[in-house]
């Protein structure tokens, strides 16, 4: 390992601009003649739009235009799409209603846009919006799954009778039935996975510009995947052909999945920029973020697990209702199916699994992938089930897990996934040692003497990351491939630019990716730049989500580097009059092995571009591209153990300790990995204790601000004890698995298992607020 | 935010005069409630009269058995004040728990009391300690000042200038914060006066705003000890209920926070 190579705790290059306030975000973009958009949003969860009167608004100062949903339909702008086709168990395709960017006829959730005001200033646009009169005819709303599926429920879309999008299944129903018939014990569990609001620090924003002379659009947007945005805007929304549309996602302040999607506002900004002949800026505020950013989770599940007399698992049966909100967002359909049910085997040998998933429309904000996306829901279900089972079977929860761990790899689960490698015993053993699991009963007794209820909870998660092999996801209904691209440009002076299709919005790519280059060439990372986030600069790429950037995007960089190095070696060998096979790369030099002959990288690069003395037939230049399609998912896994105390007087939970033993394969920058784990754990703990989107019966979002939606703060969290056990991923040359989502996937169950252990009552839903915990203790 | 006219008042008289000139004026002190509400377009004062820089409105004085805190004194200054920490440590402690550091450096005691948020901390101290709210027109006993949610005895154009607290024999405050807002889900201030009377006030709990808690007062009069409240039952009727706490949970918190306040008071 070099000082800046793989495994080095290099300080993040990008932090200089972030912590000195010099990041450049979408709202920092200013254009000559720029106008401002303000959306008029439905105050009702379900209503007919009978009319929109903008006569008075158009007379107000600074108003340029008031544009409505009907106009966007008239201009033949396409509806929003869902990019993953799911087939119901009866063979029918999923049933979707149309999602126009602004509602021309019917609004189906509070906050859905019906019109937009474009004005000279933001305040003028807001003033005028108040003067637009929208005539709504209120309709009854279905605000949650239960309300949406009951007989006589209000219907959202005529295309989806009973508000059912699909009724899908996975696994072998007969084998599971057989397993349960042989069971010595059956454990059942009903649970809810609470709805979350992503709340990236930077709200969504867009600046759109139409160049009339060139018939060309530019869109600055808060996106995790600018190329995918361009593709969708072009191919499905008919905004412009791809070569006439440039999408730039500059510095982006967090995404967590919520910025994967191409939302109505960004699309309307583009359309409006041509309509009014002016650049249009829209910057969402926090209230708009609460109401319109795709929410996460929201499952209601029933699970049953069958055990034999030796406490070995025989089978698992799961029935889940997933809330999609009012419309099917871009990847929403895949989240509770192929990202959820395929992980229901957890870390365990479960011979038979059968999962049914019913997707449901409700009059709420659309739901889509949010940090973990399906995998937290699966992990929470399995790990609460294992804890519940251990208590019912009267065995130690860690021992029950160990007894059922998968220990041989590769391992084919009954639910599609084939785990390539792992060592689950190593993770749990490391976590148990770190927290002194054996000493817990004594600590619990001491806490009891002090009037506190102490509990310990284990969670052993596994996730499928490195998303994803294109052929595999294509066969399951995905509308896109999930490969990644990289281009390496070695400049004539030997500096290096890496153009990646991955997008960094907090992940530290500008450092980690440089370390890969530093490791291979022995050059300092200051000599390397990462270029991303601009469709005019970077070749097509698929973007960042699903813990894929390093395993897929990083591997594309390695593949491109291999081509660069092969050519550079030829040039070096030619210059040094040596055999190509004798050339080795060390400390930024190409050396003839076993001699003192060498040529530095800048000289090789210069030779490539002067082309005065290249091997016969060689093209000038030193620039290579690679597209890498993974052969499998990667499978990060680990064990989290949480020890906490509950105050019986108030129901308040206080952490004593939280240990994490993760297996992410090889770590490129352990400091960045730790940061990712800390953030993920904060979100997982946030889901367990603090966060929950609450709608009232009429579909109003009660938790529509930070006054009522509890975002985790530093003092809500313990100081984490992290450690790593390592099995190298065999599927990619870096041996990496991905670390971005692990904390959010594994933490929730550890916390709830610890609280239910402390209070001796398993009936507890997330978020386990003091009020809920107190009631669970006192009835 | 709607457009408004901003005035920085140079004196109390100037503030009152400026207020009278506007058609729908509002006094602005620390702005920790008014400004967010204005930004959300939920308030549209014609004129905003900033009183936070008036010299006569800032500072803490101790005279005999009375601590007087001028209205534009920040929570941070109250929390840090040696005089308050010595005379009424529970009051300094309460101020140290309001909001976060940014709020405490801007927010003021007068602004908090004039707003009378049902989950604010100061009203509990003012009511339990039997303080007197002084305005540009008169002195209002705590008993008569609080009139329900976001409502006070202040008349239009009347401005709090100071609050006088009698120094108690013992006092303590215990707060259970709302997990999201960190306002008091329930906060209880207990005080034993130098004449031996016991006064207890709870904030965050009641549908009518800050309230005296008679069952706790009676129990503590008989026996000033946390254990004296073990058998006390607080009725849940009339208490607030929301996603953060049901009425019966808040009733429990009134009791438990009462016990912890007594323990803190010593």
């Amino acid at each position: 390992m070099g000082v800046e190579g793989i495994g080095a705790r290099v300080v993040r290059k990008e932090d200089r601009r972030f912590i000195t306030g010099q990041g450049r975000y979408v709202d920092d973009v200013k254009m000559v003649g720029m106008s401002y958009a303000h959306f008029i949003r439905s105050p009702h969860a379900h209503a007919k739009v009978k009319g929109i009167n903008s006569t008075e608004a158009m007379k107000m100062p600074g108003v340029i235009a008031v544009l409505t949903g009907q106009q966007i339909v008239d201009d033949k702008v396409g509806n929003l799409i869902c990019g993953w086709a799911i087939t119901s168990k009866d063979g029918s395709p999923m049933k979707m209603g149309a999602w126009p960017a602004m509602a021309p006829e019917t609004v189906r959730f509070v906050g859905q846009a019906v019109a937009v005001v474009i004005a000279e200033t933001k305040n003028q646009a807001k003033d005028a919006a108040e003067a637009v009169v929208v005539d709504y005819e209120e309709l009854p709303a279905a605000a949650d799954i239960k309300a949406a599926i009951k007989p006589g429920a209000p219907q959202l879309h005529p295309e989806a009778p009973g508000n059912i999008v699909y009724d899908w299944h996975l696994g072998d129903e007969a084998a599971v039935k057989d397993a349960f018939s042989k069971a010595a014990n059956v454990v059942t569990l009903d649970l809810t996975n609470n709805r979350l609001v992503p709340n990236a620090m930077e709200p969504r924003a867009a600046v759109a510009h139409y160049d009339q002379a060139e018939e060309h659009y530019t869109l600055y947007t808060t996106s995790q995947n600018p190329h995918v945005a361009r593709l969708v805007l072009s191919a499905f929304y008919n905004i412009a052909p791809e070569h006439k549309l440039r999408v730039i996602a500059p510095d982006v302040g967090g995404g967590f999945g919520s910025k994967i999607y191409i939302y109505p506002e960004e699309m309307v900004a583009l359309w409006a920029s041509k309509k009014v002949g002016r650049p249009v800026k829209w910057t969402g505020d926090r209230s708009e973020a609460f109401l319109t950013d795709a929410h996460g989770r929201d499952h209601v599940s029933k699970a049953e697990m069958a055990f034999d007399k030796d406490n070995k698992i025989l089978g698992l049966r799961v029935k889940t209702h997933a809330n999609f909100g009012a419309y099917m967002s871009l990847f929403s359909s895949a989240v509770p199916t192929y990202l959820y049910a395929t992980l229901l085997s957890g870390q365990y040998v479960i011979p038979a699994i059968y999962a049914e998933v019913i997707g449901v429309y409700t009059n709420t904000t659309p739901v889509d992938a949010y940090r973990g996306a399906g995998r937290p829901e699966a992990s929470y279900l399995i790990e609460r089930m294992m804890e519940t089972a251990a208590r019912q079977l009267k065995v130690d929860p860690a021992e029950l897990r160990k007894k059922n761990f998968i220990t041989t790899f590769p391992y084919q689960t009954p639910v599609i996934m084939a785990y390539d490698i792992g060592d689950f015993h190593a993770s749990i053993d490391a976590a148990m040692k770190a927290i002194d699991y054996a000493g817990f009963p004594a600590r619990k007794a001491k806490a009891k003497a002090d009037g506190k209820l102490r509990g310990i909870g284990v969670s052993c998660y596994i996730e499928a990351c490195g998303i994803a092999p294109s052929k595999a996801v294509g066969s399951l209904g995905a509308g896109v491939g999930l490969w990644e691209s990289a281009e390496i440009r070695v400049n004539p002076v030997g500096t290096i630019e890496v153009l990646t299709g991955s997008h960094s919005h907090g992940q530290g790519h500008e450092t980690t990716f440089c370390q890969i280059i530093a490791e291979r060439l022995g050059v300092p990372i200051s000599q390397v730049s990462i270029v991303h986030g601009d469709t005019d600069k970077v070749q097509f790429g698929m973007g960042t989500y699903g813990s894929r950037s390093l395993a897929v995007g990083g591997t594309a960089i390695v593949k491109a580097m291999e081509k660069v190095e092969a050519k550079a070696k030829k040039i070096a060998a030619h210059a040094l009059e040596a055999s190509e096979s004798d050339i080795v790369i060390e400390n930024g030099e190409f050396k003839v092995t076993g001699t003192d002959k060498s040529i530095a990288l800048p000289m090789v690069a210069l030779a490539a571009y002067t082309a005065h003395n290249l091997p016969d037939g060689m093209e000038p230049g030193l620039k290579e591209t690679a597209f890498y399609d993974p052969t499998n998912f990667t499978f990060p896994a680990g064990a989290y153990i949480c020890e906490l105390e509950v105050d019986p007087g108030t129901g308040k939970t206080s952490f004593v300790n939280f240990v994490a033993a993760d297996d992410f394969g090889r770590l490129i920058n352990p400091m960045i990995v730790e940061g990712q784990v800390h953030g993920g754990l904060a979100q997982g703990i946030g889901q367990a204790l603090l966060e929950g989107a609450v709608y009232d019966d009429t579909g109003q979002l009660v938790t529509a601000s930070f006054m009522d939606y509890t975002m985790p703060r530093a003092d809500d969290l313990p100081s984490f004890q992290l450690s790593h056990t390592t099995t190298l991923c065999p599927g990619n040359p870096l041996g990496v698995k991905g670390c971005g989502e692990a904390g959010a996937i594994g933490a929730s169950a550890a916390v709830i298992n610890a609280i239910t252990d402390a209070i001796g009552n398993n009936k507890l839903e997330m978020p386990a607020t003091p009020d809920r915990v107190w009631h669970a203790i006192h009835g | 935010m709607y457009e408004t006219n901003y005035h920085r008042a140079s004196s109390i008289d100037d503030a009152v005069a400026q207020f009278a000139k506007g058609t729908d004026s509002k006094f602005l002190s620390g702005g920790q409630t008014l400004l967010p509400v204005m930004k959300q377009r939920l308030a549209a004062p014609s004129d905003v009269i900033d009183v936070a820089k008036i010299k006569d409105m800032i500072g803490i004085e101790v005279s005999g058995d009375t601590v007087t805190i001028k209205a534009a004194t920040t929570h941070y200054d109250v929390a840090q004040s040696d005089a308050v920490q010595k005379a009424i440590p529970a009051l300094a402690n309460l101020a140290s728990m309001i909001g976060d550091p940014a709020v405490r450096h801007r927010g003021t005691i007068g602004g908090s009391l004039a707003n009378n948020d049902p989950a604010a901390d100061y009203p509990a101290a003012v009511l339990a300690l039997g303080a007197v709210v002084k305005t540009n027109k008169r002195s209002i006993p705590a008993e008569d000042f609080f009139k329900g949610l976001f409502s006070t005895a202040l008349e239009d154009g009347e401005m709090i200038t100071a609050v006088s607290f009698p120094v108690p024999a013992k006092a303590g405050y215990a707060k259970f914060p709302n997990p999201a807002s960190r306002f008091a889900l329930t906060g209880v201030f207990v005080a034993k006066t130098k004449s031996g009377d016991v006064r207890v006030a709870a904030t965050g709990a009641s549908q009518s705003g800050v309230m005296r808690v008679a069952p706790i007062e009676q129990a503590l009069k008989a026996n000033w000890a946390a254990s004296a409240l073990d058998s006390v039952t607080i009725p849940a009727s009339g208490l607030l209920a929301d996603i953060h706490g049901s009425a019966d949970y808040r009733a429990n918190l009134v009791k438990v926070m009462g016990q912890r306040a007594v323990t803190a008071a010593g």
Side-chain angles (χ1 to χ4, degrees):
Chain A
M1 173 184 102
V3 290
E4 294 182 329
I6 289 175
R9 305 174 72 89
V10 179
V11 172
R12 302 201 325 167
K13 290 175 77 173
E14 49 269 71
D15 283 346
R16 182 187 173 96
R17 71 174 188 276
F18 292 151
I19 65 179
T20 57
Q22 295 177 87
R24 184 175 160 84
Y25 298 88
V26 173
D27 192 52
D28 294 322
V29 174
K30 291 184 176 65
M31 289 186 181
V32 174
M34 193 163 75
S35 61
Y36 294 83
H38 183 76
F39 285 88
I40 296 165
R41 300 184 181 282
S42 171
H44 307 296
H46 200 189
K48 289 271 180 216
V49 180
K50 307 285 280 186
I52 298 174
N53 186 335
S54 56
T55 311
E56 289 307 310
M58 281 305 296
K59 294 178 194 162
M60 292 182 65
V63 174
I64 299 166
V66 179
L67 304 173
T68 66
Q70 190 54 50
Q71 284 170 284
I72 210 164
V73 172
D74 293 344
D75 281 0
K76 300 194 168 28
V77 174
N79 291 323
L80 278 78
I81 60 159
C82 178
W84 198 309
I86 299 294
T87 304
S88 285
K89 58 173 89 145
D90 66 5
S92 64
M94 63 182 186
K95 299 176 174 65
M96 286 202 304
W99 184 6
M102 296 192 291
E105 290 174 0
T106 308
V107 286
R108 296 183 177 85
F109 67 95
V110 172
Q112 185 174 5
V114 295
V116 65
V117 179
I118 314 289
E120 298 289 344
T121 72
K122 198 170 180 174
N123 230 23
Q124 286 173 335
K126 282 189 180 182
D127 288 343
E130 290 178 7
V132 175
V133 181
V134 184
D135 181 14
Y136 293 103
E137 179 191 327
E138 273 192 78
L139 299 170
D144 61 23
I145 291 169
K146 205 173 157 188
I149 60 175
K150 74 179 179 198
Q155 297 293 297
L156 272 81
H157 299 279
E159 297 87 347
N163 300 317
I164 304 296
V165 179
Y166 53 62
D167 182 354
W168 173 91
H169 66 162
L170 181 67
D172 189 335
E173 187 178 13
V176 168
K177 194 177 174 192
D178 185 50
F180 275 79
S181 72
K182 292 173 185 158
N185 289 291
V186 171
V187 182
T188 64
L189 184 64
D190 290 294
L191 76 178
T192 300
N193 203 288
N194 44 325
R195 174 187 280 240
L196 303 176
V197 182
N199 275 318
M201 193 179 287
E202 182 201 18
R204 287 188 294 117
V207 178
H209 174 240
Y210 178 66
D211 180 332
Q212 203 177 356
E214 298 293 334
E215 296 180 322
H216 181 279
Y217 291 86
T218 302
L219 175 68
Y220 288 85
T221 182
T222 47
S223 175
Q224 299 178 211
N225 31 238
H227 284 93
V228 176
R230 186 178 71 162
L231 171 66
V232 171
L233 287 162
S234 179
F236 297 99
Y237 302 165
N238 313 322
I239 297 287
E242 280 180 286
H243 69 301
K244 293 290 186 183
L245 173 57
R246 178 184 185 185
V247 177
I248 302 167
D251 284 332
V252 173
F256 312 109
S258 72
K259 291 173 183 166
I260 296 172
Y261 326 115
I262 297 87
Y263 288 91
E265 291 83 0
E266 291 86 324
M267 190 171 148
V268 168
L270 269 175
W271 168 71
S273 71
K274 181 178 181 185
K275 204 100 183 143
V276 302
R278 300 268 297 271
V280 173
K281 174 183 274 191
W282 170 74
T283 303
D285 62 22
R286 185 58 61 187
S287 299
E288 290 179 296
F290 269 101
L291 291 174
T292 67
D293 289 4
H295 291 178
R297 321 282 192 253
D298 206 341
H299 286 192
V300 176
S301 297
K302 184 177 188 63
E304 302 163 272
M305 192 175 260
F307 288 86
D308 72 10
K309 61 180 174 27
D310 296 324
N311 296 335
K312 288 264 202 186
I313 305 168
L314 294 172
L316 172 67
R317 186 187 282 136
V318 176
K319 185 168 189 173
T320 293
H321 284 83
N323 187 346
F324 286 130
Y327 297 97
M328 292 303 286
S329 177
L330 193 65
F331 286 114
S332 57
S333 55
V335 175
T337 48
Y338 292 113
L339 293 177
Y340 165 71
T342 54
L343 271 303
L344 284 171
S345 196
Q347 297 190 354
Y348 311 106
V349 175
I350 307 181
I353 298 176
Y354 180 64
E356 293 172 279
V357 179
I358 299 114
V360 181
Y361 275 130
T362 62
N363 290 110
T364 61
T365 299
V367 176
D368 206 326
Y370 166 65
R371 201 172 191 171
R375 292 151 293 168
E377 295 92 316
S379 190
Y380 180 68
L381 183 142
I382 289 294
E383 289 307 292
R384 275 204 71 182
M385 172 59 86
M386 293 306 284
E387 202 81 14
T388 304
R391 290 172 196 167
Q392 184 175 324
L393 301 172
K394 299 194 179 349
V395 294
D396 179 82
E399 289 308 313
L400 182 67
R401 286 175 169 87
K402 288 184 180 190
K403 182 186 273 278
N404 286 284
F405 274 160
I406 295 159
T407 54
T408 55
F409 297 89
Y411 176 82
Q412 177 63 53
T413 72
V415 278
I416 298 177
M417 290 298 172
Y419 301 161
D420 51 4
I421 199 163
D423 186 345
F424 307 145
H425 280 282
S427 310
I428 199 169
D429 287 346
M432 288 170 74
K433 190 175 173 209
I435 207 158
D436 182 19
Y437 190 82
F440 175 74
R443 297 195 296 276
K444 186 179 176 90
K446 185 172 179 306
K448 193 176 177 186
D450 297 335
K452 293 291 170 68
L453 306 172
R454 190 173 281 216
I456 197 163
V458 177
S459 171
C460 296
Y461 74 90
I462 186 162
E463 47 174 336
C465 293
I467 289 174
S470 300
K471 195 173 174 180
V473 296
S475 73
L476 302 177
V480 290
L482 290 169
W483 45 266
E484 194 49 274
S485 69
E487 178 176 307
I488 310 288
R489 292 181 187 164
V490 182
N491 296 317
V493 291
T495 58
I496 297 163
E497 288 159 322
V498 179
L499 285 70
T500 171
S502 301
H503 185 273
S504 187
H505 36 277
Q507 292 85 351
H509 295 172
E510 290 172 45
T511 306
T512 303
F513 289 173
C514 287
Q515 288 182 252
I516 297 172
I517 309 296
E519 176 75 17
R520 299 185 71 95
L521 296 180
V523 297
I525 61 171
S526 60
Q527 208 170 310
V528 187
S529 291
I530 305 300
V531 181
H532 69 96
D534 184 339
T535 58
D536 262 16
K537 291 182 182 171
V538 181
Q539 70 290 340
F540 199 99
M542 291 307 297
T544 289
Y545 37 83
S547 303
R548 70 190 303 271
S549 290
L550 187 57
V552 188
T555 301
I557 291 171
V558 170
K559 299 286 183 190
M561 276 302 293
E562 286 170 354
K563 296 182 189 176
V564 165
E565 289 162 14
K567 184 170 181 181
K569 280 182 179 176
K570 284 192 173 74
I571 297 168
H574 183 72
L576 297 168
E577 295 176 344
S579 163
E580 194 187 320
S581 60
D582 288 338
I583 303 290
V584 293
I585 306 173
E586 281 175 18
N587 300 322
E589 295 191 325
F590 292 74
K591 293 182 175 168
V592 183
T593 186
T595 74
D596 58 358
K597 291 202 323 187
S598 70
I599 179 170
L601 172 65
M603 299 311 293
V604 175
L606 192 62
Y609 287 95
T610 57
H612 295 163
N613 185 23
L614 290 177
D616 287 344
M618 179 181 276
E619 287 179 15
L622 195 51
K623 177 184 91 102
E624 298 289 350
T625 302
F627 285 71
Y628 170 71
D629 199 2
T631 52
N632 191 0
F633 293 85
T634 63
F635 296 94
Y640 295 160
I641 307 182
C642 171
E643 184 170 333
L644 50 73
E645 281 183 357
V646 173
D647 177 347
T650 63
K652 184 169 170 53
T653 298
S654 306
F655 288 99
V656 176
N657 206 346
F658 194 108
V659 303
D662 293 296
D663 180 357
F664 300 135
R666 181 173 280 118
L667 308 184
I668 306 295
N669 185 324
M671 181 198 72
I672 289 177
V673 170
E674 286 163 10
Q676 287 278 334
V677 175
H678 282 203
L681 291 174
Q683 284 175 299
I685 290 170
Q687 175 169 27
L689 290 181
L690 307 167
E691 300 182 55
V694 177
Y695 283 90
D696 71 13
D697 291 344
T698 67
Q700 293 291 332
L701 182 60
V702 177
T703 52
S705 82
F706 290 133
M707 290 296 281
D708 283 305
Y709 188 89
T710 312
M711 281 298 281
R713 284 174 251 197
D715 66 353
D716 291 317
L717 302 166
S719 186
F720 304 114
Q721 271 193 61
L722 308 186
S723 64
H724 299 281
T725 60
T726 303
T727 56
L728 295 179
C729 178
N732 62 66
L734 290 165
V736 299
K737 300 184 182 182
C739 66
E741 297 166 289
I745 290 168
S748 307
V751 174
I752 299 298
N753 287 340
I755 299 175
T756 55
D757 177 51
I759 65 176
N761 181 354
N762 202 42
K763 286 206 183 308
L764 184 67
E765 297 288 9
M766 301 190 291
T769 59
D771 174 79
R772 281 186 174 162
V773 174
W774 184 81
H775 279 103
I777 297 168
H778 300 281
Chain B
M1 188 184 282
Y2 297 107
E3 282 191 9
T4 189
N5 298 306
Y6 172 85
H7 311 270
R8 175 173 283 178
S10 57
S11 67
I12 293 171
D13 289 345
D14 181 40
V16 173
Q18 294 279 5
F19 188 96
K21 284 185 198 165
T23 53
D24 183 17
S25 301
K26 279 271 185 196
F27 291 117
L28 172 74
S29 186
Q32 298 305 292
T33 299
L34 181 59
L35 292 182
V37 167
M38 286 174 68
K39 282 182 184 170
Q40 291 187 298
R41 295 186 159 220
L42 297 172
S46 64
D47 294 76
V48 168
I49 321 299
D50 186 348
V51 302
K53 302 290 179 195
I54 299 173
K55 276 192 178 160
D56 289 346
M57 295 272 287
I58 301 165
I60 296 162
E61 289 167 3
V62 180
S63 165
D65 273 347
T66 303
V67 174
T68 299
I69 302 176
K70 293 180 181 175
T73 308
T74 64
H75 310 323
Y76 176 80
D77 284 343
V78 173
Q80 294 296 311
S81 160
D82 288 342
V84 178
Q85 284 177 8
K86 196 171 160 207
I88 318 177
L91 187 60
N93 181 45
L94 174 148
S96 78
M97 288 192 275
I98 300 172
D100 56 27
V103 169
R104 291 195 287 276
H105 277 82
R106 279 280 181 188
T108 68
I109 187 168
S112 171
L113 293 174
N115 188 47
N116 192 21
D117 189 305
D121 296 288
Y122 267 131
V126 168
L127 190 57
L129 290 167
V132 175
V133 178
K134 298 189 171 175
T135 77
N136 57 318
K137 291 182 178 168
R138 56 187 168 143
S139 292
I140 310 171
E143 232 55 66
D144 301 330
F145 181 79
F146 300 106
K147 299 286 186 188
L149 311 183
F150 298 104
S151 177
T152 68
L154 292 171
E155 293 163 1
D156 193 39
E158 187 176 14
M159 186 174 97
I160 302 175
T161 56
V163 188
S164 288
F165 295 90
V167 175
K170 286 180 175 184
Y173 182 61
K175 169 184 182 174
F176 193 84
N178 176 312
S181 71
R182 303 279 175 100
F183 273 77
L185 194 61
T186 289
V188 177
F189 200 104
V190 299
K192 189 177 196 177
T193 68
K194 291 200 169 173
S195 63
D197 195 14
V198 171
R199 294 171 63 98
V200 175
T203 187
S206 168
Q207 293 170 13
S208 317
V210 65
M211 64 169 183
R212 295 274 295 273
V213 192
I216 294 182
E217 289 180 348
Q218 283 153 18
L220 292 179
K221 263 178 211 164
N223 175 18
W224 180 268
S227 59
L229 305 187
D230 285 347
S231 56
V232 168
T233 304
I234 306 295
S237 63
L239 297 192
L240 290 165
D242 56 32
I243 59 168
H244 304 289
S246 59
D248 63 332
Y249 179 65
R250 278 185 163 88
N252 169 69
L253 283 183
V254 171
K255 172 177 162 172
V256 173
M257 291 299 113
Q259 288 178 311
R260 291 178 190 182
V262 172
T263 303

